[in-house]
Amino acid sequence: MALNRAEVHNMAAGPSPLPTSVLQQAAKGLLNYNGTGMGVCELSHRGKEFKGIVEKAEADLRELLQIPDSHAVLFTQGGGTTQFSSVFLNMLAYHRLKSKDVPAEQYSPPTVDYIVTGAWSSKASAEAKRLAVPPTPNAQALANVHIAATTKPTKFNRVPRKEEYNFTNDAAYVYYCENETINGVQFAGDVDSPAAVPFDLIPNDVPIVADYSSSFISRPIPHIERHALIYAGAQKNLGPAGVVVVIVRKDLLVDTNEAALLGGVPVCPIELEYKILADNGSLYNTPPVFSIYVSQLVLRYLIEEKGGMAGVKETNEKKAKLLYAALEEAERKGLVRLTVSDREARSWMNVTWVIDEADGDEESSREKRFLKGAEAQGFRQIKGHRSVGGIRASIYNAVSLESVQELVNYIKNWAAAEKWM
Ligand SMILES: Cc1ncc(COP(=O)(O)O)c(C=O)c1O
């Protein structure tokens, strides 16, 4: 059966839905950009039209997130995963250049601190370890990867409590993932919450790096100016997969070759060096033109139609509150369990819960019934990530309050029916 877009509630975790009006506009631009008679994917990335798109995207992003002038905005490729490596290589180079006078044989490898709150920060720290410790026998480690706090023992059902953090005084950087897409756990947006990122505990001169892939432009970024680097893959709130935004403090744009020549740090592939990207206005090599174009349209749309960051935040907060309230009610009836126990650390973007934890009977399981009923009502892509199971409703910016209300109605009806089964 062929379905219309309006008939489904797409709650995918990424790639995720984009606003219909933006896609309509993008479809036109794909055929004929701005009356040039050429599609946006057929224009030189060095021409004035495409440069204009990149400049507009940057200006709108700066406006939405209040990005200070101290920070550069870069558009790059390789997904969030490539950033796991880029961050490590560039930050180590920056750290090495701060002690230029120290000869290689006297340079001790720095510590890098990771806060591990779910699958993505686990992967990022694993990549840092892989790059830090060459697999050859007796090779010297290039860095000591230290886990400053982790909630793995409690299956990532919360963020760490203040007293659990153990930061290194002179770390080359501290890394965290603001919203864990798979586990549904997010640092609180309110800086005074016990579930907020513990900015006050991180030594002042230690650079802070954050993965904002799945919560980017969903609400303001607390203490944006305190971050050395923030990155986000586009494919949740911003645009099609293929582009990654990097917001980086300008003094961190360092020549990685110069650092490597000093000894003690690895060589950085050219495409991963932030300085190269910045020096070339994100156009060092051919960029993902269509992804950048759609992202620019999305940013404009948020400013013109959605009330900017304040408006977007307000709607996202309402959506999350509505859905969590319905799930908490079902939880009180013993029908579901919210996987994140700490209410203040529940994600506004990826809402995760389980049904039937101990039910081995596939056919009769409540979860199956839930998913089948949801599918019939038009809900799509809400099965939990294969590594954790359960249900995950991703309610990114392009998922409307009305769609969330429909899901709440469905959950309530399902819960009422289940009570009698
Ligand atoms: C929070 C987060 N970080 C990193 C990644 C990895 O991104 P990519 O698949 O673009 O490499 C994802 C992917 O979903 C993510 O959700």
Side-chain angles (χ1 to χ4, degrees):
M1 184 184 59
L3 287 171
N4 191 296
R5 275 181 80 77
E7 291 171 279
V8 304
H9 306 285
N10 181 359
M11 297 189 173
S16 324
L18 290 165
T20 299
S21 66
V22 165
L23 292 177
Q24 282 162 340
Q25 222 181 327
K28 282 189 192 151
L30 199 51
L31 289 170
N32 185 350
Y33 178 70
N34 234 358
T36 54
M38 295 175 280
V40 72
C41 295
E42 302 161 325
L43 295 171
S44 164
H45 60 290
R46 308 223 177 265
K48 70 172 187 328
E49 286 87 5
F50 191 72
K51 276 195 176 155
I53 291 172
V54 174
E55 281 162 17
K56 274 192 259 175
E58 174 172 346
D60 284 350
L61 197 56
R62 283 192 179 277
E63 179 183 332
L64 276 168
L65 288 177
Q66 300 286 295
I67 301 172
D69 286 343
S70 50
H71 287 61
V73 174
L74 310 174
F75 297 95
T76 183
Q77 326 191 31
T81 305
T82 303
Q83 290 308 308
F84 299 165
S85 329
S86 307
V87 159
F88 178 83
L89 296 170
N90 282 271
M91 297 304 291
L92 246 57
Y94 171 76
H95 187 266
R96 181 66 180 99
L97 288 166
K98 280 202 295 188
S99 39
K100 265 189 192 163
D101 299 336
V102 179
E105 51 294 354
Q106 282 168 29
Y107 181 72
S108 18
T111 295
V112 295
D113 277 0
Y114 278 75
I115 303 173
V116 175
T117 50
W120 292 112
S121 44
S122 296
K123 282 199 168 175
S125 63
E127 174 63 355
K129 267 192 198 140
R130 199 181 65 85
L131 294 173
V133 186
T136 42
N138 306 325
Q140 218 215 326
L142 300 163
N144 165 34
V145 180
H146 170 239
I147 305 301
T150 178
T151 48
K152 193 171 180 201
T154 57
K155 292 191 176 160
F156 302 125
N157 66 343
R158 58 184 179 85
V159 294
R161 292 181 210 99
K162 292 259 183 185
E163 64 275 14
E164 291 174 288
Y165 290 101
N166 174 18
F167 292 112
T168 309
N169 265 333
D170 55 354
Y173 61 91
V174 169
Y175 179 104
Y176 73 94
C177 175
E178 203 264 349
N179 181 61
E180 285 283 359
T181 325
I182 293 177
N183 310 86
V185 68
Q186 181 173 25
F187 286 97
D190 171 4
V191 288
D192 297 323
S193 161
V197 175
F199 290 100
D200 53 328
L201 301 180
I202 302 173
N204 272 339
D205 48 357
V206 171
I208 302 178
V209 175
D211 174 359
Y212 258 81
S213 293
S214 49
S215 53
F216 200 54
I217 53 168
S218 63
R219 62 189 189 194
I221 297 179
H223 293 308
I224 187 164
E225 73 299 333
R226 174 64 182 92
H227 291 82
L229 190 145
I230 289 165
Y231 71 84
Q235 65 268 26
K236 326 285 185 186
N237 276 326
L238 184 59
V243 65
V244 181
V245 174
V246 178
I247 300 168
V248 53
R249 220 174 58 208
K250 288 176 183 162
D251 65 305
L252 279 140
L253 301 169
V254 296
D255 183 339
T256 57
N257 257 3
E258 191 190 338
L261 280 170
L262 294 171
V265 293
V267 173
C268 177
I270 197 83
E271 169 71 4
L272 305 192
E273 187 187 286
Y274 298 128
K275 183 178 178 341
I276 285 276
L277 282 166
D279 287 350
N280 291 278
S282 295
L283 302 174
Y284 174 68
N285 69 329
T286 318
V289 291
F290 188 67
S291 306
I292 294 177
Y293 170 56
V294 179
S295 301
Q296 183 258 308
L297 296 177
V298 168
L299 293 166
R300 199 72 313 252
Y301 163 86
L302 295 182
I303 292 171
E304 283 176 8
E305 318 254 336
K306 294 284 150 184
M309 213 63 285
V312 172
K313 177 189 172 193
E314 196 185 320
T315 310
N316 283 333
E317 184 164 18
K318 274 190 200 149
K319 281 154 49 182
K321 279 194 172 151
L322 199 63
L323 185 49
Y324 282 116
L327 288 166
E328 280 173 7
E329 202 183 312
E331 191 170 45
R332 281 193 291 276
K333 290 180 182 148
L335 291 166
V336 308
R337 182 178 61 82
L338 280 151
T339 46
V340 178
S341 55
D342 178 358
R343 295 176 82 183
E344 298 200 46
R346 284 179 181 159
S347 170
W348 284 16
M349 296 283 104
N350 312 100
V351 180
T352 53
W353 68 96
V354 289
I355 307 173
D356 277 341
E357 270 164 298
D359 189 348
D361 182 348
E362 292 272 303
E363 283 311 303
S364 68
S365 86
R366 283 194 300 217
E367 184 170 308
K368 291 242 165 184
R369 285 199 297 275
F370 181 90
L371 285 168
K372 209 169 152 207
E375 179 84 11
Q377 303 276 319
F379 298 100
R380 291 290 179 278
Q381 315 199 68
I382 61 167
K383 210 168 157 37
H385 188 270
R386 59 187 188 282
S387 63
V388 291
I391 315 284
R392 170 174 55 172
S394 295
I395 51 173
Y396 295 119
N397 287 354
V399 175
S400 67
L401 183 59
E402 291 72 31
S403 278
V404 173
Q405 184 60 62
E406 292 282 331
L407 181 59
V408 164
N409 296 345
Y410 171 66
I411 292 169
K412 286 189 172 163
N413 291 338
W414 168 82
E418 286 294 330
K419 263 204 320 189
W420 304 104
M421 291 186 128

